[in-house]
Amino acid sequence: MDTKTNGSWRELLGLTYAPVAVVLAGGVLMEASNVYLTTSLLPTIVGDIGGTGFYAWTMTAFLVASVISSMLVSRILITRGSLAAYLLAFGLFGLGSLIAAVSPGIGVFLAGRAVQGFGGGLLAGLGYALIQRALPERLWAKAAALVSAMWGVGNLVGPSAGGAFGQLGVWRPAFWLLVALAAVLMVVVVRVIPRTERAAVGSAVPGVSLVLLTAAVAMVSIASIVPAGVATAVVLVVGLGLGVVFVLFERTAKAAVLPRVTFAAGKSLKWVYLTVGILAFGIGTEAFIPLFGQELGKLSPLLAGFLGAALSLGWSLSQTVSANATRLAVVRRLIVGGPMLLAIGLAAYAALQADGPSALVVALWFVTLFAAGAGIGIAFPHLAVAAFSSVEDPEEAAKASAGINTVFLMSSAFSAALAGVLVKLGEPSVLSSAHLLLSVFAIVALLGAFPAWRIARSGAARKAAAAQLTH
């Protein structure tokens, strides 16, 4: 008799696994929503404690710290175990929030943001790395969908919460709330997270890789705040160059961030990471969609904000459907179709840009952005499972899982900076900026169909489909 069963949402969110799912998803949601919450509160914050000149650095400090800690997730998980790793992550996040909440000036606030970033990077990475250790294989795709959907949900929760506090003219209570949430989740972690065994790490700390990648992300982040023109181009090129050096170094390094199998001949993990990076790259458009909505569509800030959330909404909702796919042919189509749908959605949105559009065109803006986000959502769960299933060695498997978040953060940082550069190149015309930004990003997304096709042809797609079934 065939005893194969397909993992269901009811099982994942049932009494047995729901507490674990809450911790995994809750940690990522705290990281994601904090990004948008702080952005929406920044005018109120700098109005209170000053530091207008360091406006952009509030995000740069957080982002760079997140990237650094995300590269250490697998090492901390192996050497400290799941419980200590999560307590450290929530503890750092709560401490950073506390420092921010009591900060008398921008310097202390930036320090708090950096500590928050260290905790947030660990939370985001652990959200993926613990899936394969805390849940059965049949639930991996759905858990990956739930965890990654939190980035989209954060784009809805963060601005809403930040806007509510901002409307009241206060910002410190928002960070006190984060402190309280971190404390509550630490208690939940102690009660529900399965304990994993500790082990010695077989490799040294990947110091060179950490320095190279941190410098690359920092340079690209700076590119969006230096004066437009030659300085922007130089900083961006240096950042991209450091990123290339990081990849070349990782190929032969004994102490590496990514698992050794990433660059092995005939293995598909490199294509998985490349596809994840390209899908994450598309998210860089989000920061400017509300601007285009207000300037071109003459929308109110509220409606423009909802327009900006359309991509995240498509991403979050589509994952809940895509994660149910178990047939190999369907999984292959979803993996290849993800980058293509993202490209089509962005290209259609670009073609519809106009100054003073009709209500129908504005409605189509939402539809095309939702479709672009769905391109990310339909492929992501299966890419995550392909990464989880790529290696057998526990230490390398932890690296492979945590690597998803590292690649995600790297690509997000690069795309956000490039988006700012493209918008500057289109000035003073907002319409030109919109066309340039969206067209370039649509082309990059379309290029993602190639690595996705390589994955679909390999055994990775078969593993992604098979992992959702158990005997």
Side-chain angles (χ1 to χ4, degrees):
M1 183 177 70
D2 184 8
T3 57
K4 286 184 177 181
T5 57
N6 180 20
S8 65
W9 285 107
R10 177 177 294 181
E11 182 181 12
L12 177 64
L13 301 178
L15 293 177
T16 302
Y17 297 114
V20 175
V22 167
V23 172
L24 300 184
V28 176
L29 179 59
M30 286 189 72
E31 158 86 342
S33 60
N34 177 64
V35 172
Y36 300 108
L37 180 147
T38 305
T39 300
S40 61
L41 282 175
L42 275 178
T44 305
I45 294 171
V46 299
D48 181 27
I49 63 176
T52 304
F54 294 92
Y55 198 96
W57 284 97
T58 60
M59 295 310 299
T60 300
F62 181 85
L63 183 60
V64 171
S66 293
V67 171
I68 294 172
S69 62
S70 74
M71 292 187 287
L72 298 173
V73 168
S74 61
R75 189 177 193 86
I76 293 173
L77 183 58
I78 292 292
T79 58
R80 301 299 180 186
S82 56
L83 178 60
Y86 253 116
L87 290 178
L88 175 64
F90 279 118
L92 285 172
F93 190 90
L95 176 61
S97 301
L98 175 62
I99 294 171
V102 300
S103 56
I106 194 64
V108 176
F109 184 79
L110 289 175
R113 290 289 287 158
V115 176
Q116 261 192 331
F118 282 119
L122 289 177
L123 287 174
L126 288 169
Y128 292 104
L130 260 293
I131 288 175
Q132 64 179 159
R133 291 170 173 246
L135 298 170
E137 277 189 293
R138 63 182 178 274
L139 295 177
W140 284 2
K142 290 178 177 60
L146 178 66
V147 168
S148 58
M150 293 303 102
W151 290 99
V153 174
N155 197 11
L156 302 173
V157 174
S160 300
F165 283 106
Q167 192 71 31
L168 296 173
V170 297
W171 61 272
R172 296 183 192 273
F175 289 91
W176 281 111
L177 177 61
L178 293 176
V179 173
L181 289 174
V184 169
L185 285 171
M186 288 177 76
V187 174
V188 176
V189 163
V190 173
R191 299 176 68 91
V192 307
I193 283 294
R195 273 58 166 176
T196 59
E197 294 182 4
R198 302 182 189 182
V201 176
S203 59
V205 175
V208 176
S209 291
L210 286 169
V211 172
L212 285 172
L213 189 52
T214 302
V217 173
M219 292 300 289
V220 175
S221 299
I222 291 171
S224 62
I225 61 176
V226 298
V230 176
T232 300
V234 169
V235 173
L236 187 60
V237 168
V238 171
L240 293 173
L242 287 170
V244 171
V245 173
F246 163 78
V247 173
L248 294 175
F249 179 81
E250 282 277 303
R251 290 175 65 90
T252 57
K254 292 182 179 180
V257 171
L258 301 176
R260 290 186 297 272
V261 72
T262 302
F263 303 103
K267 300 297 183 179
S268 60
L269 187 56
K270 55 182 171 292
W271 303 118
V272 172
Y273 284 156
L274 183 56
T275 307
V276 167
I278 289 176
L279 291 175
F281 192 87
I283 302 170
T285 59
E286 279 189 326
F288 295 96
I289 290 172
L291 172 67
F292 299 153
Q294 291 185 56
E295 296 295 326
L296 299 177
K298 315 305 179 189
L299 301 179
S300 67
L302 179 61
L303 290 177
F306 281 121
L307 181 67
L311 191 145
S312 291
L313 186 62
W315 172 18
S316 300
L317 293 181
S318 64
Q319 290 188 112
T320 63
V321 178
S322 173
N324 293 316
T326 57
R327 289 179 54 198
L328 178 59
V330 175
V331 170
R332 283 173 168 167
R333 292 191 189 102
L334 291 171
I335 290 173
V336 177
M340 295 180 68
L341 183 56
L342 174 61
I344 291 170
L346 292 178
Y349 179 56
L352 289 169
Q353 292 303 295
D355 199 354
S358 65
L360 175 60
V361 171
V362 171
L364 289 175
W365 283 358
F366 184 90
V367 172
T368 55
L369 287 170
F370 185 92
I376 301 173
I378 63 174
F380 204 95
H382 307 292
L383 293 170
V385 174
F388 297 159
S389 309
S390 60
V391 288
E392 300 295 334
D393 178 74
E395 182 178 340
E396 291 294 289
K399 281 187 178 181
S401 303
I404 296 174
N405 182 60
T406 300
V407 171
F408 187 95
L409 288 173
M410 286 168 52
S411 185
S412 298
F414 278 90
S415 67
L418 180 60
V421 172
L422 293 172
V423 168
K424 285 182 180 179
L425 290 175
E427 293 176 346
S429 170
V430 176
L431 184 59
S432 295
S433 293
H435 283 147
L436 182 60
L437 170 63
L438 296 165
S439 298
V440 170
F441 272 61
I443 292 171
V444 173
L446 186 60
L447 294 176
F450 173 71
W453 174 74
R454 293 294 298 263
I455 298 166
R457 289 187 60 202
S458 71
R462 187 176 294 105
K463 288 181 179 180
Q468 298 179 71
L469 297 172
T470 185
H471 290 277

